[in-house]
Amino acid sequence: MNHVADIATILTVILSAFVIGWAAETAQVYLSRALALSVLAWLQTSPEFAVEATIAWNQQRDLMIANLTGSLRLLLGLGWPMVFGVYFTSTYFREKRFVKRIVLSKDDSLTVLFLFISILYFFVIWGKASLVWYDSVVLTGIYVAYLLLTMRLPPGLDEDDEHDLPWIGKKIVALESRFARNASILALFAVGGIALYFSAHPFVDALQRWSVSLGISTFVFVQWVAPFLSEFPEKVTAFQWALQQKKAPLAVMNFVNSNLNQWTLLAAMLPIIFGISLGRFDGIHFSEFQEHEILLTLAQALVGALLILDLEFSVLDAALIFILWVAQFISADLRHTITNIYFVWAGIEVVRIVVRRVTQKRSPLTLVAFREMIPQLKAGPKVDLSRVGRG
């Protein structure tokens, strides 16, 4: 009976991931791409938030950082290369050609820029070896500022692109009533989100039982298995999008938004819940081992952010990131070496950016696109759920 319930739970999680993905795609007709993906990230990462909140409430300091760093490294080290691998393979079988890169949209520049800001602030947190309540304020402020700016951007899809929507999205945008369209999109988010909320905990519990039966340790489970399971919904959505040529950039940005979400809101949640449980806000102070784990995670994140600063993700980038992610499991002693490799790689990317700027007068496309956005951002909120000429 337990096996039947476990299978039903897994199927529910997968189906909810599809429903939330459909809602996010359709929402881009009326909302900015960044805002739609942000809502998607909130719902998709809610199981990860629930896991971290439980660990923080139980005052398990070591496991808090283990789960946070494991989750972030999984998103980038496995998630981003997975998207490229699926896109690369599906394009070859469909069109008999090899793709070299995934080109992101100029609209993604705001997300990339704020990912950089959150990573840079986390270097401050690592430098003082603690995560305290005022860090929560700063990290939350970074994310709130990002959200407010996404609300000023135009819709992510033009009317000409609506034929690429999933079947249910096409049905929704074809509705004559504006109220019916908006209510249908909200209903998709709600149904997918509620199903995910109620199935997430049984899903993690089911897979934890399987992990224990295989002899996996608690620390390994919390750092790697639990994040993989709690991030499973976004992997399903990204996999689905990566199969489609035009939606591969959306799949990459799905993970980038989740990275931003976890570097800010997830990290900000920890000292607050930990402090409430403890009865005082002393903050979370890092051990030497935790400092190394955070530094490795930051080094990887810095490389990832630098790689997409030109709004593209190449096959070489994907391969190297995946290789370095896998290498950390070969030996614990390799982690220091891998951290150094990441920083050397980041240094090379910075030098390349500077050289291009000096010799070609060329700035990274993220900065160019953001400068072009500034008039739009100053103009005021642009979230328009009516779309001119409809309803």
Side-chain angles (χ1 to χ4, degrees):
M1 187 66 177
N2 281 340
H3 292 303
V4 174
D6 290 347
I7 292 172
T9 299
I10 293 170
L11 291 176
T12 301
V13 169
I14 293 173
L15 182 59
S16 66
F18 275 102
V19 172
I20 295 169
W22 293 336
E25 285 187 70
T26 309
Q28 288 186 82
V29 177
Y30 310 104
L31 307 177
S32 72
R33 175 188 178 108
L35 183 56
L37 287 174
S38 295
V39 175
L40 177 67
W42 298 338
L43 294 173
Q44 288 178 327
T45 57
S46 58
E48 176 62 21
F49 275 72
V51 171
E52 274 285 31
T54 300
I55 294 172
W57 183 259
N58 292 333
Q59 300 175 25
Q60 296 171 296
R61 297 171 186 257
D62 290 344
L63 298 185
M64 270 189 292
I65 302 304
N67 189 258
L68 176 65
T69 54
S71 173
L72 286 163
R73 296 213 295 271
L74 266 169
L75 281 171
L76 203 162
L78 178 62
W80 294 20
M82 181 202 77
V83 167
F84 198 98
V86 173
Y87 173 60
F88 181 93
T89 305
S90 62
T91 302
Y92 176 75
F93 282 108
R94 184 174 57 246
E95 304 175 16
K96 301 304 179 190
R97 68 182 180 91
F98 295 108
V99 291
K100 296 181 179 179
R101 61 183 56 83
I102 295 176
V103 179
L104 306 178
S105 167
K106 288 185 177 181
D107 293 342
D108 297 326
S109 60
L110 188 66
T111 308
V112 175
L113 184 61
F114 270 85
L115 177 62
F116 248 111
I117 293 171
S118 63
I119 291 169
L120 291 177
Y121 183 74
F122 227 93
F123 271 105
V124 175
I125 293 173
W126 170 80
K128 60 188 182 66
S130 64
L131 182 61
V132 296
W133 67 267
Y134 57 80
D135 294 318
S136 299
V137 173
V138 174
L139 292 170
T140 303
I142 290 171
Y143 195 80
V144 169
Y146 167 70
L147 278 186
L148 292 176
L149 290 178
T150 62
M151 293 179 183
R152 295 172 175 262
L153 296 176
L157 287 182
D158 296 326
E159 293 188 33
D160 292 340
D161 295 325
E162 291 176 15
H163 65 275
D164 292 323
L165 289 172
W167 64 272
I168 194 167
K170 293 176 182 177
K171 296 290 185 182
I172 290 174
V173 299
L175 294 173
E176 293 186 4
S177 167
R178 177 174 53 188
F179 174 80
R181 293 194 301 271
N182 297 342
S184 298
I185 294 173
L186 290 175
L188 280 181
F189 275 124
V191 169
I194 291 171
L196 185 58
Y197 175 81
F198 284 106
S199 60
H201 196 278
F203 175 72
V204 173
D205 285 346
L207 275 294
Q208 185 173 12
R209 287 196 297 273
W210 298 356
S211 299
V212 170
S213 67
L214 293 174
I216 298 175
S217 70
T218 300
F219 183 86
V220 171
F221 178 84
V222 169
Q223 184 167 39
W224 296 114
V225 182
F228 178 83
L229 302 179
S230 58
E231 292 169 359
F232 189 75
E234 56 205 317
K235 291 181 177 67
V236 172
T237 305
F239 186 92
Q240 174 199 3
W241 284 339
L243 288 170
Q244 307 169 61
Q245 182 176 355
K246 290 187 176 181
K247 294 177 183 177
L250 202 61
V252 174
M253 292 311 298
N254 185 14
F255 282 120
V256 174
N257 268 273
S258 294
N259 275 110
L260 174 59
N261 191 323
Q262 294 190 24
W263 277 117
T264 53
L265 296 184
L266 182 62
M269 175 189 73
L270 296 181
I272 302 303
I273 293 182
F274 180 78
I276 293 173
S277 174
L278 192 63
R280 61 184 186 278
F281 290 99
D282 287 344
I284 301 167
H285 300 276
F286 307 145
S287 66
E288 184 178 354
F289 175 76
Q290 290 172 332
E291 287 185 49
H292 289 314
E293 285 292 294
I294 292 171
L295 187 61
L296 171 56
T297 309
L298 280 169
Q300 183 206 48
L302 181 61
V303 167
L306 285 167
L307 291 177
I308 59 173
L309 199 58
D310 246 344
L311 298 179
E312 65 176 37
F313 187 52
S314 75
V315 61
L316 181 60
D317 297 337
L320 291 177
I321 282 179
F322 181 71
I323 289 170
L324 287 175
W325 179 75
V326 171
Q328 68 184 310
F329 298 107
I330 298 174
S331 170
D333 295 334
L334 279 177
R335 294 193 176 191
H336 292 282
T337 302
I338 293 171
T339 302
N340 293 332
I341 291 173
Y342 276 130
F343 278 119
V344 171
W345 188 359
I348 292 172
E349 293 298 323
V350 170
V351 169
R352 289 175 58 187
I353 291 170
V354 172
V355 169
R356 281 200 302 264
R357 177 59 185 162
V358 172
T359 60
Q360 304 175 22
K361 305 300 181 184
R362 179 190 161 199
S363 299
L365 290 181
T366 290
L367 300 181
V368 174
F370 180 72
R371 284 198 294 265
E372 294 173 355
M373 274 185 190
I374 291 176
Q376 177 74 60
L377 296 174
K378 289 182 177 179
K382 293 296 180 182
V383 175
D384 182 4
L385 300 182
S386 62
R387 186 62 82 85
V388 177
R390 299 188 182 187

